[in-house]
Amino acid sequence: MSFRPLPLTPELHEYLLAHSTPPDDVVAELITETRAALPRNATMQIGFEQAAFLRMLTTALGVRRAVEVGTFTGLSSLSIARGLADGGRLTCFDISTEYTDVARRYWKRAGVDDRIELRIGPAAENLRSLPDEPHLDLVFIDADKESYSTYWNELVPRTKSGGLLLVDNTLWSGRVVAPQSESDRAVADFNALAVADTRVELVILPISDGLTMARKL
Ligand SMILES: C[S@@+](CC[C@H](N)C(=O)[O-])C[C@H]1O[C@@H](n2cnc3c(N)ncnc32)[C@H](O)[C@@H]1O
């Protein structure tokens, strides 16, 4: 192939952010609080451009039923919840009350807390409590990488035909090309599983750390 991909330098990333609609006060404060209160874990938060993308996509698709695996302090859930159609619902799965207590505060502040249900505990088990039939319009997976394939296998059958599954960190800082660690291999194995899955068509978008966007056929 002769196509040369664009290297996203720090300067170009800054430019990209400066030429995207800026975050509103709620999002800006959530990002600031997460960085200040959880400096060692703040890199787990999705990028602002991903947050904007999630909200726009949710709105454009008219999403009514959504699931998120991996909520942390709430930026992705806030973005999805704000984009939901009237009467829409988001069910979030996370293992930590410490992180998600922050999320709850921001959901309330943005006036979307009544659209979100949070289930605390290991997501691999808790996802099984969802209805078995295809009922989801949108899925966002962003939790422990070792369980990505499990989450995928629980959620693909529950996604409606035409619905989207988004999976974060699927380029894993580029380490998927030559996996070394257990988490490298988990993400690379997940990517191999997903691309071979004939129930979906998919593209990996080079946004932030890589975002797989899969459409259920
Ligand atoms: C990368 S962070 C999610 C970031 C979030 N999407 C955001 O927008 O800020 C990963 C989250 O997965 C959660 N997590 C890790 N292992 C989990 C498990 N087995 N079940 C459910 N959640 C888990 C962590 O507590 C953490 O909040």
Side-chain angles (χ1 to χ4, degrees), residues 69 93 121-129 144 147 150-151 154:
V69 186
F93 294 84
E125 287 162 35
N126 283 349
L127 284 172
R128 293 190 207 118
S129 64
D144 50 316
S147 302
T150 303
Y151 301 150
E154 290 294 336

Side-chain angles (χ1 to χ4, degrees), residues 44-46 70-72 76 94-96 99 121-123 142-144 151:
M44 291 208 292
Q45 188 171 55
I46 59 164
T71 297
F72 190 46
S76 49
D94 202 287
I95 206 161
S96 164
Y99 298 151
D142 186 21
D144 50 316
Y151 301 150

Side-chain angles (χ1 to χ4, degrees), residues 20-163:
S20 299
T21 307
D24 67 6
D25 288 351
V26 183
V27 169
E29 283 171 35
L30 173 53
I31 293 171
T32 303
E33 175 173 341
T34 301
R35 288 179 185 167
L38 300 162
R40 279 187 299 161
N41 292 325
T43 54
M44 291 208 292
Q45 188 171 55
I46 59 164
F48 163 65
E49 69 272 41
Q50 275 182 299
F53 181 67
L54 280 179
R55 182 175 178 171
M56 265 190 258
L57 197 63
T58 307
T59 305
L61 291 171
V63 171
R64 295 183 53 79
R65 289 288 173 272
V67 157
E68 169 181 273
V69 186
T71 297
F72 190 46
T73 57
L75 183 52
S76 49
S77 49
L78 178 69
S79 307
I80 294 168
R82 285 172 137 186
L84 289 171
D86 284 351
R89 304 277 308 160
L90 167 65
T91 309
C92 292
F93 294 84
D94 202 287
I95 206 161
S96 164
T97 49
E98 182 198 348
Y99 298 151
T100 55
D101 281 352
V102 180
R104 285 187 193 278
R105 274 197 283 114
Y106 281 87
W107 297 339
K108 199 167 177 53
R109 197 171 144 201
V112 294
D113 52 322
D114 59 342
R115 305 176 199 175
I116 303 176
E117 182 195 347
L118 173 63
R119 299 191 191 174
I120 295 290
E125 287 162 35
N126 283 349
L127 284 172
R128 293 190 207 118
S129 64
L130 289 169
D132 287 333
E133 70 273 10
H135 64 289
L136 300 172
D137 305 300
L138 183 75
V139 165
F140 181 56
I141 299 175
D142 186 21
D144 50 316
K145 309 310 160 198
E146 289 75 9
S147 302
Y148 266 21
S149 298
T150 303
Y151 301 150
W152 178 263
N153 286 326
E154 290 294 336
L155 289 166
V156 171
R158 292 178 165 97
T159 303
K160 286 189 206 165
S161 176

